């Protein structure tokens, strides 16, 4: 049987790690949503150089490992483990969110932009008031998936001493020599977060599919 | 209603699966214990678990691909002393975190990897006599305000390696200081170089290697623990321990041991 | 100060050789895991699609559990925890096993939803024209579904290639691992080493994604 004393004896550490994982994922989600939206808009902006910056960002970041980004942020920047982890995760996730948002925006018929522009709105206004509200609906399920990925990827904080759930689990298993049970408990803590999120995203996807 | 039922069903199945997993976790491993010494002679090779990231003791040289250091030379000499040229020494990378596990499941025959003998570990593995006397110390950037363990106040951060005795010790000796733990020495030193802490703590033997690698760092405050290094083998292999001790003693008597030590450790 | 100087200093023949050695390990681990997880993921995805009682539900639980765990945990678990119950592996085997477990679960989802996207009416049509269920699946549903699956499958392969880097935590001597060793050993800065490492990953993954896009365009 599982050794529950590992869980009860180290409850404080598990909970502390759980808290860090939760906070880090949440902050990274908000930041990468903002950054991702910005980049998505850059990618479809009617100005080539800005376009190009957005595209380069997305293509470069999507094709390198998130761990490389997290390590680099930690070692080259002046941040602690948790901050470096959050920044690294944000930089990485923003590229994926930008793609999701761009796909959402592209799904709104072109004619609407032209109509909005010809009725006197600026590009920015048309984007904000006409296109984005419609795009949001399509964007929500992939955003949910990115949040799940964020929670899972936040485990990378462990390799830069970020104090998250995985890091605490590592320390517990190193000090108790009971690795199997410790990691099972760590896994259960992650599932508490990710399983409900997965169900939520699945539900949204189904509802959305029905409404179309 | 239907949805709830489906969810409940899902939850039930997960519980069963979890219980199944738990059941597996409890199962004792039924691995048969074969005598390691006999196995070495049969295979004509002895596999040493050594560090790949610890300068002076065990370090992989990027240009040649060879592992070099005191632990490597010593284990090579021990193998030759014990078995002559018949048994080939081989090396496998271990870290502080992996070495006991690899030993117990037979991936390696002996650990020669800056491993401190202590009571806790004696329950897990068998140790030979002491082959090197190290002590825990601190590595800081030259000119640091930290000049010894007494300077580790609550405003300081100490870097250590997961699963090492030094991580445990430093929490006892400097309970106020913040401790960050990394996967291995390469990462811990990398973090120190990137100003992620005020000091890095581990055995002086390892720190000397880092100071040699980058002379802008130095050891301060002397040693504050005793870390006798021993060679570890899987529990219950007394014969192999005896053979290793005998070989170690004759290397010491013949002067070969000092020769190897002087080659690597310059104090 | 010349901005390129630190890069040139790092780019010695030895260092490049050392990094490429690591990259070969990355590619090898990725290639083996891609093959294995395609087989397992394809099988699991199809079995779940076929809605076989008990088997499909059981697979659903396993797949959902794995998909919702961090890969890092699965790697740690495979290498550090499984030996406690008598299953132990070399570093490289452990890395491949952990990646295969995780990526199979991800791929099976892609395959399942690809199959699901094909109109159910086609199965009925196939069945009524005299094909059995397996024949309908393999001649009618699969070929159409596969075409739709190619883009997500390729991006999953790219993810897998990137994910191999996580095995540095169990000291797999891959590209990232060798990069770290160079950084820890040479006096040179972190930026040149990490830039080169990132570029190596980028070149392979970017090429893969371009090839995938071309395939996609050809089919449309």
């Amino acid at each position: 049987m599982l050794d529950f004393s590992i869980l009860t004896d180290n409850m404080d550490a598990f909970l502390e790690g759980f808290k860090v994982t939760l906070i880090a994922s949440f902050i990274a989600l908000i930041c990468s949503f903002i950054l991702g939206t910005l980049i998505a808009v850059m990618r479809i902006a009617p100005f080539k150089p800005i376009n190009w910056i957005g595209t380069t960002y997305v293509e470069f970041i999507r094709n390198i490992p998130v761990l490389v980004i997290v390590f680099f942020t930690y070692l080259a920047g002046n941040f602690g483990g948790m901050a470096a982890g959050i920044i690294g995760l944000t930089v990485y996730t923003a590229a994926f969110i930008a793609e999701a948002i761009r796909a959402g925006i592209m799904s709104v018929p072109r004619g609407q932009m032209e109509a909005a522009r010809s009725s006197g709105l600026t590009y920015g206004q048309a984007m904000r008031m006409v296109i984005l509200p419609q795009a949001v609906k399509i964007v929500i399920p992939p955003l949910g998936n990115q949040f799940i990925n964020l929670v899972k990827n936040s485990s990378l904080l462990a390799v830069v001493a970020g104090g998250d759930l995985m890091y605490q689990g590592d320390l517990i298993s190193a000090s108790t020599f009971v690795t199997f049970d410790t990691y099972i408990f760590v896994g259960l803590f992650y599932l508490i977060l990710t399983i409900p999120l997965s169900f939520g995203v699945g539900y949204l996807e189904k509802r959305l599919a029905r409404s179309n | 209603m239907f949805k709830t039922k489906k969810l409940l069903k899902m939850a039930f199945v997960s519980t069963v699966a979890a219980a199944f997993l738990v059941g597996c976790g409890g199962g004792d491993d039924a691995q048969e214990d074969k005598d390691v010494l006999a196995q070495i002679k049969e295979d004509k090779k002895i596999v040493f678990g050594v560090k790949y990231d610890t300068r002076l003791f065990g370090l992989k040289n990027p240009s040649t691909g060879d592992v070099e250091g005191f632990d490597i030379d010593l284990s090579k000499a021990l193998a030759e002393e014990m078995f002559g040229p018949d048994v080939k020494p081989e090396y496998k990378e271990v870290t502080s975190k992996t070495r006991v596990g690899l030993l117990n499941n037979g991936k390696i025959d002996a650990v020669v990897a800056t491993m401190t003998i202590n009571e806790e570990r004696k329950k897990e593995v068998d140790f030979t006599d002491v082959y090197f006397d190290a002590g825990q110390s601190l590595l800081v950037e030259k000119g640091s305000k930290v000049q010894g363990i007494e300077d580790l106040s609550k405003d300081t951060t100490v870097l250590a390696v997961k699963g090492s005795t030094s991580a445990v010790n430093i929490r006892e000796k400097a309970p106020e200081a913040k401790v960050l733990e990394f996967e291995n020495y390469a990462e811990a030193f990398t973090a120190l170089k990137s100003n992620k802490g005020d000091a890095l703590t581990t055995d002086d033997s390892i720190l000397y290697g880092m100071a040699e690698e980058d002379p802008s760092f130095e050891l301060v405050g002397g040693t504050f623990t005793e870390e006798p290094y021993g060679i570890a083998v899987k529990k219950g292999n007394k014969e192999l321990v005896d053979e290793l001790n005998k070989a170690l003693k004759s290397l010491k008597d013949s002067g070969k041991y000092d020769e190897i030590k002087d080659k690597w450790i310059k104090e | 100060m010349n901005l390129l100087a630190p890069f040139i200093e790092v780019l010695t023949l030895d260092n490049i050789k050392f990094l490429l050695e690591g990259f070969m390990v990355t590619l090898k681990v990725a290639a083996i895991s891609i093959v294995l997880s395609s087989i397992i993921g394809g099988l699991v995805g199809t079995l779940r699609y076929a809605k076989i009682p008990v088997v499909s539900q059981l697979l659903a639980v396993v797949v959902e559990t794995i998909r919702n765990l961090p890969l890092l945990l699965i790697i740690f678990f495979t290498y550090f925890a499984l030996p406690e119950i008598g299953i132990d592996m070399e570093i490289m085997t452990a890395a491949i096993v952990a990646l295969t477990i995780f990526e199979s679960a991800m791929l099976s989802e892609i395959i399942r939803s690809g199959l699901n996207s094909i109109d159910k009416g086609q199965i009925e049509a196939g069945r009524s024209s005299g094909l059995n269920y397996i024949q309908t699946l393999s001649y009618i549903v699969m070929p159409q579904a596969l075409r739709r699956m190619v883009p997500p499958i390729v991006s999953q392969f790219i993810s897998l290639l990137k994910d191999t880097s996580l095995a540095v935590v169990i000291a797999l001597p891959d590209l990232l691992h060798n990069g770290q060793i160079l950084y820890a050993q040479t006096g040179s800065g972190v930026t040149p080493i990490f830039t080169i490492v990132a570029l190596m990953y980028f070149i392979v993954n970017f090429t893969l994604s371009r090839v995938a896009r071309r395939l996609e365009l050809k089919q449309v």
Side-chain angles (χ1 to χ4, degrees), chain A residues 145-166:
Chain A
N145 279 324
Q146 285 309 322
F147 190 40
I148 299 170
N149 285 340
L150 254 180
V151 173
K152 296 196 288 174
N153 284 338
S154 70
S155 60
L156 300 189
L157 264 67
V159 291
V160 291
D164 70 320
L165 187 51
M166 191 74 239

Side-chain angles (χ1 to χ4, degrees), chain B residues 164-227:
Chain B
S164 63
T165 37
S166 33
V168 178
N169 289 338
I170 200 71
R171 285 205 168 85
E172 273 168 25
K173 309 259 171 180
E176 296 242 286
K178 200 174 156 210
V179 181
L180 295 181
E181 298 186 35
F182 294 85
E183 304 297 328
N184 50 47
Y185 292 112
E187 267 162 42
F189 187 40
T190 306
L192 181 70
K193 271 177 129 174
S194 299
N195 287 319
K196 299 302 166 190
D198 302 292
L200 194 164
T201 189
T202 182
D203 303 349
D204 56 351
S205 48
I206 297 166
L207 297 177
Y208 277 121
M210 294 174 180
E212 190 190 80
E213 193 175 308
D214 190 334
S216 56
F217 292 88
E218 64 179 352
L219 277 79
V220 291
T223 59
F224 50 87
T225 63
E226 280 172 15
E227 304 284 345

Side-chain angles (χ1 to χ4, degrees), chain B residues 13-14 17 24-25 29 31 59-60 62-63 92-93 97-98 102 105 107 183 186-187 189-190 193-194 213, chain C residues 14 17-18 57-58 61 64 76 79-80 83 85-86 88-90 169 171 177 180 182-187:
Chain B
V13 181
S14 335
C24 288
D29 73 1
Q31 245 183 359
L59 181 75
K60 188 165 181 174
S63 34
K92 193 161 268 181
E93 178 173 15
K97 230 172 122 182
T98 63
L102 289 172
N105 60 41
K107 290 286 162 204
E183 304 297 328
E187 267 162 42
F189 187 40
T190 306
K193 271 177 129 174
S194 299
E213 193 175 308
Chain C
D14 278 346
K17 216 183 99 203
F18 187 60
Q57 275 96 332
L58 215 66
V61 173
E64 283 308 315
F76 273 133
Y79 191 63
F80 294 123
I85 57 163
D88 60 83
M89 289 167 260
E90 307 263 336
V169 296
H177 180 269
Q180 280 181 307
L182 281 187
Y183 169 57
Q185 279 181 19
T186 58

Side-chain angles (χ1 to χ4, degrees), chain A residues 59-60 62-65 67 71-72 76 92 96 152 155-156 159 166 170 177 179-180 183 187 190 194 198, chain C residues 67-70 72-73 76-77 80-81 84 162 165-166 168-169 176 180 190 194 198 201-202 205-206 210:
Chain A
E59 290 295 350
F60 186 67
R62 279 208 306 177
N63 286 309
I64 59 175
L67 186 56
F71 264 137
F72 181 73
Y92 183 74
F96 290 85
K152 296 196 288 174
S155 60
L156 300 189
V159 291
M166 191 74 239
D170 269 353
F177 294 107
T179 313
F180 191 95
Y183 283 157
Y190 276 108
T194 52
S198 286
Chain C
R67 263 165 37 96
N68 282 298
L69 287 172
L72 191 65
L73 177 68
F76 273 133
F77 193 82
F80 294 123
E84 281 183 14
K162 293 188 290 178
S165 64
L166 296 190
V168 292
V169 296
L176 181 55
Q180 280 181 307
V190 58
F194 271 76
Y201 280 111
F202 173 76
N205 286 327
F206 186 70
R210 284 290 120 147

Side-chain angles (χ1 to χ4, degrees), chain C residues 155-209:
Chain C
S155 59
Q156 194 58 43
F157 287 166
I158 293 172
S159 291
L160 194 156
L161 215 151
K162 293 188 290 178
D163 287 344
T164 54
S165 64
L166 296 190
V168 292
V169 296
I170 56 169
L172 178 76
D174 72 341
L175 177 56
L176 181 55
H177 180 269
N178 284 7
Q180 280 181 307
I181 287 190
L182 281 187
Y183 169 57
Q185 279 181 19
T186 58
S188 59
V190 58
T191 310
I193 296 271
F194 271 76
T195 309
I196 295 163
V197 167
L199 278 176
M200 285 187 175
Y201 280 111
F202 173 76
I203 290 166
V204 171
N205 286 327
F206 186 70
T207 316
L208 258 178
S209 66

Side-chain angles (χ1 to χ4, degrees), chain B residues 93-114:
Chain B
E93 178 173 15
V94 298
T95 65
S96 300
K97 230 172 122 182
T98 63
R99 57 194 173 195
V100 173
L102 289 172
L103 197 59
N104 282 334
N105 60 41
K107 290 286 162 204
I108 50 180
D109 299 317
V111 170
V112 192
T114 61

